[in-house]
Amino acid sequence: MTQLVSDIRILDNLLALNLNVSLWSARRKMSQEDLGGAKLPPEDLASLGSKRIADPENLKVFGTLKARAFNYLDRHGVRFMSGWAIPEEKAGEIVQELLNIRTEFQKEKEAFLADYDQNVQAWIEKHHQWGKIIRNSLVGPDYVRARMDFRWQLYKVAPLEQHADNTAVLEAGLAEEVQGLGGTLFDEVAKSADDIWRRVYYGRTEVTHKALSPLRTLHAKLTGLSFVEPHVTPVADIVQAALLRMPKKGNITGTDLLLLQGLVCLLKDSTALVPHAQKVVEGYGPASVLDALLAGPGAIVEQDESTMQVDGAVDEEDDEPILPDITEADSPLPHPAIPSLGLW
């Protein structure tokens, strides 16, 4: 099994980004007085819940903007320590997008605070039977303002090389974090590919060119983070080669769709993907991997909502194409036979 170990020197090419988005939940702790002095269990046995003092619908936009920022960073970086590792060369465009989101966040924040008193009053009127317990916990707009924020820290990471106490150097922990970065990246690729499979390709006999968009996004992430680990570039090359095979116009069907389905299934199985990338490193071109995805008669005979028949067999557990064998004849380069596309 090929091991993914990132070299500490990749720190020369990346920056660490920590994103802090603070949201106000509009929740306050319930008190015994809210329940009219009802007898309650002791605190070591049970605790009261919370109450909302403002309409949560008015706060949804802030959660949406936070998710947008997280998704953007996930598309361009890889999770690292308390945030993300991003390519240093892309720092400018990444920060610009965060600035755009922060500007929208601040605009929505000011609009929310401008209507805060009216919104709270409307919430009380909506729940007029319980108006008293809402009023007992009201906070002012300045309190809310201080609890809503969108900011980040971008910094260079460097190992601790010298210290008066050598234990501090030996046990700094950064090397272990960096070594696992390649594995984290491949795990994220697998997770994204699994989502792409279920949203875009599973059970389809025809897709439009929009189905290529998530693969292009994944390719861009791999290309930007190609320095993280030696197997990243070969995987990016495999994805790019598949995209180049697609027709320029019209819907994608038949062999072309089968190729994309096989590619996505390969991407979401990091156990199989890394050995394939290693073969590309050793000299097999990306085309050999793609050709193997199409090898074998009747690769996909039938698809429906619950099963997909592959090579005459039905895989009811994973609902995925079976990756066929690749042989020496399939490879454009003179190498020994490769036993299996699933397990080299």
Side-chain angles (χ1 to χ4, degrees), residues 20-339:
N20 304 111
V21 183
S22 303
L23 305 180
W24 182 58
S25 67
R27 288 181 179 272
R28 302 285 284 175
K29 186 178 179 181
M30 291 280 287
S31 67
Q32 189 170 5
E33 289 73 21
D34 291 333
L35 301 179
K39 186 176 181 180
L40 300 174
E43 289 188 0
D44 61 348
L45 174 61
S47 61
L48 289 171
S50 62
K51 55 190 172 185
R52 288 193 175 102
I53 62 172
D55 191 340
E57 287 295 320
N58 296 327
L59 295 165
K60 277 188 175 180
V61 62
F62 302 105
T64 299
L65 290 171
K66 178 179 180 178
R68 177 175 150 193
F70 272 61
N71 290 337
Y72 180 82
L73 291 172
D74 280 337
R75 291 198 305 271
H76 294 276
V78 57
R79 295 295 179 118
F80 179 58
M81 296 195 296
S82 59
W84 289 263
I86 64 170
E88 186 168 11
E89 62 181 18
K90 289 191 174 184
E93 63 183 82
I94 289 173
V95 168
Q96 184 57 56
E97 178 60 20
L98 292 178
L99 284 169
N100 294 339
I101 300 173
R102 186 177 70 181
T103 297
E104 191 170 347
F105 185 96
Q106 296 294 351
K107 179 181 177 182
E108 294 290 346
K109 175 180 174 180
E110 293 306 319
F112 173 77
L113 292 172
D115 295 333
Y116 176 75
D117 291 335
Q118 296 92 314
N119 290 337
V120 168
Q121 185 58 39
W123 185 246
I124 292 173
E125 292 174 1
K126 181 178 180 180
H127 301 281
H128 58 89
Q129 183 181 357
W130 306 99
K132 182 179 179 181
I133 72 169
I134 299 175
R135 291 189 186 92
N136 288 343
S137 297
L138 288 181
V139 295
D142 289 340
Y143 175 94
V144 178
R145 182 186 299 276
R147 280 154 181 78
M148 301 176 71
D149 199 11
F150 189 107
R151 55 193 171 86
W152 59 86
Q153 302 83 42
L154 184 65
Y155 53 96
K156 192 76 176 176
V157 180
L160 179 65
E161 296 180 343
Q162 292 183 339
H163 192 274
D165 187 339
N166 195 47
T167 302
V169 177
L170 295 175
E171 300 297 333
L174 180 60
E176 290 80 3
E177 289 289 331
V178 173
Q179 287 172 6
L181 207 51
T184 300
L185 177 56
F186 273 81
D187 287 343
E188 291 181 4
V189 167
K191 183 179 178 180
S192 295
D194 185 68
D195 180 61
I196 293 169
W197 170 256
R198 299 186 185 281
R199 288 190 302 107
V200 182
Y201 290 101
Y202 166 60
R204 301 294 180 88
T205 57
E206 182 177 359
V207 296
T208 68
H209 273 70
K210 289 182 179 180
L212 301 179
S213 179
L215 289 174
R216 292 193 179 104
T217 298
L218 204 54
H219 175 262
K221 173 171 178 166
L222 289 164
T223 301
L225 295 166
S226 59
F227 58 86
V228 166
E229 209 279 335
H231 296 88
V232 178
T233 295
V235 174
D237 291 344
I238 292 169
V239 176
Q240 179 68 2
L243 292 172
L244 290 174
R245 288 194 185 190
M246 293 301 107
K248 301 299 182 183
K249 297 181 180 180
N251 289 347
I252 300 170
T253 62
T255 301
D256 293 327
L257 178 57
L258 173 62
L259 176 63
L260 294 176
Q261 289 172 323
L263 172 65
V264 174
C265 287
L266 179 60
L267 291 171
K268 71 193 199 74
D269 182 1
S270 57
T271 302
L273 180 60
V274 176
H276 283 68
Q278 177 61 30
K279 285 300 178 181
V280 176
V281 171
E282 293 171 1
Y284 288 84
S288 64
V289 176
L290 299 179
D291 290 341
L293 295 175
L294 297 173
I300 292 185
V301 179
E302 182 181 8
Q303 300 182 81
D304 59 30
E305 292 184 354
S306 58
T307 62
M308 183 173 291
Q309 189 165 329
V310 185
D311 289 338
V314 176
D315 183 347
E316 297 184 84
E317 181 177 353
D318 294 327
D319 298 316
E320 302 169 5
I322 295 173
L323 303 180
D325 291 343
I326 178 172
T327 64
E328 185 175 3
D330 296 317
S331 174
L333 300 178
H335 281 267
I338 306 173

